Amino acid sequence: MNHSTSKGWLLYIIFGHLLFAALLVLSIVHLPLRVGYVDSAFQVFKWIQVSEWNIEANRYSAIVPQALVKLFRALGYDLKTLLLVASVAHVLVSWAIFTLCAHVFRKPWVAAACVMAVVLCTRYTFYGMVLELHYLLIYPFLFIALTDPPRIVSPLRFVLGAALIIIAMLAHPVGVLVMLFLLGVMYLNNGYPRKAVIGWALVTVAWAIVGKWIMPPTGYESELYSSILEGMSIGLRGEELPSLDFLWGHTIRDTTLYIPAWIILAITLYWQAKRNARWLFVLTLGWVIGFVLLTGFTWYKGDVAVMMEKNFLPLATVVSFAFFFEIKRLPATWIRIIAIPFIVVLFIQFRAISFASKIYEKRYATIEALLVDAQSQSVRKAVYDRGELMNRNLKVVWALPFESLIISSLHPHLEPATLVTTDDLDDGFTEDGVFLMPWQGAMSVEDLNGPYFNLPAGPYYLLEIGRPQSKKPVLKKTSSAAAKDSVPGPDH
């Protein structure tokens, strides 16, 4: 019998595939929400608009979805197909790694841990698809599947394992913490060759240091490092930390997103204590507490919900791995019984992800209504008063020009259009170009890729919502050629 389906693992593999199929459908149904939201709109625009590779903050191993988009672009597919590829690619990457773990490496317990990690702490972040922390939910399991314990580690296996560690760490700096936890569990288990584990740990630490020397952290990342001590001083004084309040709120007060994770963690700790694995118990509980506190201190200023949730995603990897590391020791009968609550958790978390779309639908509908309003006045480059947009409950962010461009390009009855606010009318704003801050400031309409994002020449128009005769051209003396120098986009 195939090892992937023996010892009671068949249900885990079947429902893992069913979950990814459901997430794929969700990524198609909610395509506009996923590619038209803030960071996603910004990055997907650049994937399509620019021929060069777009690597955000040295996150090189997050390149696969971008590579698929560029492949379809080279094959001549239209814009809507490219946006569809961008949305589904992120699900397909996770599904492919799950499949490799289950059917190529034949490690069903690793595959089960991978599929649970993908949804265990995910709700809002499904709609922030380009957040690189998503890759810490999947890449570490490739390493575990490759190295699940051979008594002797060959030089080739050691090198491949080291490469997979670096790939996971290139996805996000927090990868060093996740990989050290996994290696700590392996070290405490007699089934793994300790010399190889120590070697991989040295690779992890060495790359954490050398990688920062080769690719210095961005200003945004450096600011987060410096904020840890500030956050500690606030936390130690007993003042409220918004990130910890978010974690509490989505455990009890606002949603129950994290309850399954805490239950699974408690069961794992119970099993570890029952079999007298004291050091493993200390490692698991200590890592979770330490990570939660570190995240709380680092993000002591708070952020929008999707970013706050993103920060806690690595909990899903650690909790899922530790849980299934215990389950694989059980008799086949118990493995089959535990498949039922496993399926229930997948269903509950998928339901939470699906329902979270309502929050993003509100933003999408508001931007869509503005685009319809602009088209009713024959305007495709529009300026709205920031205060008026805020009064309509639209949180105005830096990515609005990209969000509006992507959303209008997907709409069946709209031509491509872009929106900015009155606060954007600075010296870089031009009367005849396109204003795409923070990516490239003002640029000529000819610089846009016509087959994909075709915008008209001529001025922007200042509009008042719901007043068809309100448009006024926004005229500036600055020419688009004079303001064409590129400025850096936001760090992630």
Side-chain angles (χ1 to χ4, degrees):
M1 182 180 291
N2 190 311
H3 186 61
S4 294
T5 56
S6 64
K7 286 194 66 180
W9 290 106
L10 179 59
L11 279 177
Y12 295 87
I13 302 306
I14 291 174
F15 278 88
H17 284 297
L18 288 176
L19 176 77
F20 281 116
L23 290 175
L24 185 66
V25 171
L26 211 59
S27 71
I28 296 171
V29 171
H30 294 312
L31 163 67
L33 307 184
R34 279 165 58 83
V35 300
Y37 179 75
V38 191
D39 292 72
S40 298
F42 175 63
Q43 290 198 36
V44 169
F45 171 83
K46 290 196 293 182
W47 296 353
I48 296 171
Q49 167 67 18
V50 181
S51 299
E52 294 77 15
W53 294 102
N54 172 53
I55 308 298
E56 295 288 336
N58 302 320
R59 313 286 167 79
Y60 285 91
S61 55
I63 202 172
V64 180
Q66 180 181 174
L68 290 175
V69 170
K70 288 193 178 298
L71 172 62
F72 276 74
R73 179 180 182 268
L75 294 174
Y77 284 88
D78 63 13
L79 177 60
K80 292 185 179 180
T81 301
L82 298 183
L83 294 174
L84 177 62
V85 170
S87 182
V88 302
H90 290 79
V91 176
L92 293 177
V93 171
S94 300
W95 198 349
I97 289 177
F98 167 81
T99 302
L100 285 172
C101 292
H103 304 297
V104 177
F105 293 112
R106 297 186 176 182
K107 303 295 181 183
W109 74 271
V110 180
C114 178
V115 71
M116 178 176 282
V118 167
V119 296
L120 187 60
C121 296
T122 299
R123 186 169 179 253
Y124 302 125
T125 47
F126 181 78
Y127 303 92
M129 64 180 192
V130 297
L131 297 170
E132 294 89 353
L133 261 170
H134 281 134
Y135 295 93
L136 292 187
L137 301 176
I138 51 175
Y139 284 161
F141 293 105
L142 272 180
F143 168 76
I144 294 298
L146 174 72
T147 59
D148 188 44
R151 291 284 176 181
I152 299 175
V153 175
S154 67
L156 178 60
R157 188 184 290 265
F158 181 85
V159 170
L160 289 175
L164 290 173
I165 287 173
I166 293 173
I167 287 173
M169 293 173 65
L170 278 173
H172 197 277
V174 178
V176 64
L177 302 178
V178 174
M179 295 311 302
L180 286 176
F181 173 81
L182 301 183
L183 290 167
V185 174
M186 293 166 66
Y187 181 82
L188 294 172
N189 186 277
N190 292 328
Y192 292 89
R194 288 196 169 185
K195 289 183 179 179
V197 174
I198 292 172
W200 284 319
L202 291 175
V203 169
T204 303
V205 174
W207 182 255
I209 298 170
V210 174
K212 289 292 183 290
W213 177 70
I214 297 174
M215 299 171 288
T218 62
Y220 174 77
E221 187 178 324
S222 298
E223 183 181 342
L224 289 179
Y225 294 148
S226 63
S227 70
I228 295 174
L229 291 178
E230 297 173 24
M232 286 181 65
S233 65
I234 290 173
L236 293 175
R237 290 200 304 266
E239 297 181 25
E240 183 179 277
L241 296 170
S243 48
L244 297 185
D245 180 68
F246 176 88
L247 189 65
W248 168 253
H250 288 279
T251 298
I252 295 293
R253 186 186 62 229
D254 304 318
T255 71
T256 57
L257 172 64
Y258 294 110
I259 282 183
W262 299 135
I263 292 174
I264 291 169
L265 175 63
I267 293 171
T268 303
L269 293 171
Y270 168 76
W271 280 336
Q272 291 172 348
K274 185 176 180 181
R275 66 182 181 89
N276 206 29
R278 296 189 187 93
W279 287 112
L280 186 55
F281 178 95
V282 170
L283 174 64
T284 305
L285 182 59
W287 192 97
V288 170
I289 293 174
F291 178 78
V292 167
L293 290 177
L294 179 64
T295 303
F297 295 148
T298 305
W299 294 86
Y300 73 94
K301 295 179 182 178
D303 209 323
V304 296
V306 65
M307 297 300 287
M308 298 290 273
E309 181 183 296
K310 173 264 297 182
N311 299 327
F312 291 106
L313 284 180
L315 278 176
T317 302
V318 167
V319 171
S320 298
F321 169 75
F323 179 68
F324 279 97
F325 195 81
E326 297 300 315
I327 286 183
K328 71 170 185 170
R329 301 170 179 274
L330 300 177
T333 301
W334 276 104
I335 290 175
R336 293 188 184 95
I337 291 172
I338 293 171
I340 304 304
F342 168 79
I343 294 168
V344 171
V345 169
L346 295 189
F347 174 77
I348 290 173
Q349 299 305 99
F350 174 80
R351 182 175 178 271
I353 291 170
S354 180
F355 282 6
S357 65
K358 298 183 183 302
I359 297 171
Y360 295 90
E361 285 169 356
K362 292 178 181 178
R363 179 176 185 83
Y364 175 86
T366 303
I367 295 175
E368 183 184 49
L370 291 172
L371 290 165
V372 171
D373 180 69
Q375 179 169 281
S376 71
Q377 302 182 61
S378 301
V379 173
R380 292 170 59 195
K381 293 158 58 181
V383 182
Y384 284 98
D385 180 76
R386 184 185 184 91
E388 188 174 7
L389 297 185
M390 298 291 281
N391 289 337
R392 291 176 177 261
N393 296 318
L394 176 66
K395 182 177 176 61
V396 179
V397 297
W398 57 268
L400 182 61
F402 303 96
E403 292 178 290
S404 51
L405 189 54
I406 295 292
I407 291 171
S408 60
S409 298
L410 277 171
H411 198 282
H413 305 302
L414 293 175
E415 294 183 279
T418 186
L419 311 177
V420 297
T421 71
T422 47
D423 285 6
D424 296 320
L425 303 182
D426 60 18
D427 291 337
F429 200 86
T430 71
E431 65 178 71
D432 59 351
V434 180
F435 194 71
L436 294 176
M437 287 293 288
W439 173 56
Q440 202 166 0
M443 59 188 295
S444 167
V445 292
E446 286 77 17
D447 292 333
L448 281 179
N449 197 339
Y452 300 118
F453 302 107
N454 182 27
L455 289 171
Y460 278 73
Y461 287 90
L462 181 64
L463 306 179
E464 295 181 37
I465 300 174
R467 295 186 59 189
Q469 306 304 318
S470 68
K471 73 175 185 179
K472 301 175 183 177
V474 179
L475 302 177
K476 302 284 287 185
K477 294 182 180 180
T478 307
S479 69
S480 58
K484 196 174 173 181
D485 291 338
S486 174
V487 297
D491 297 322
H492 299 282

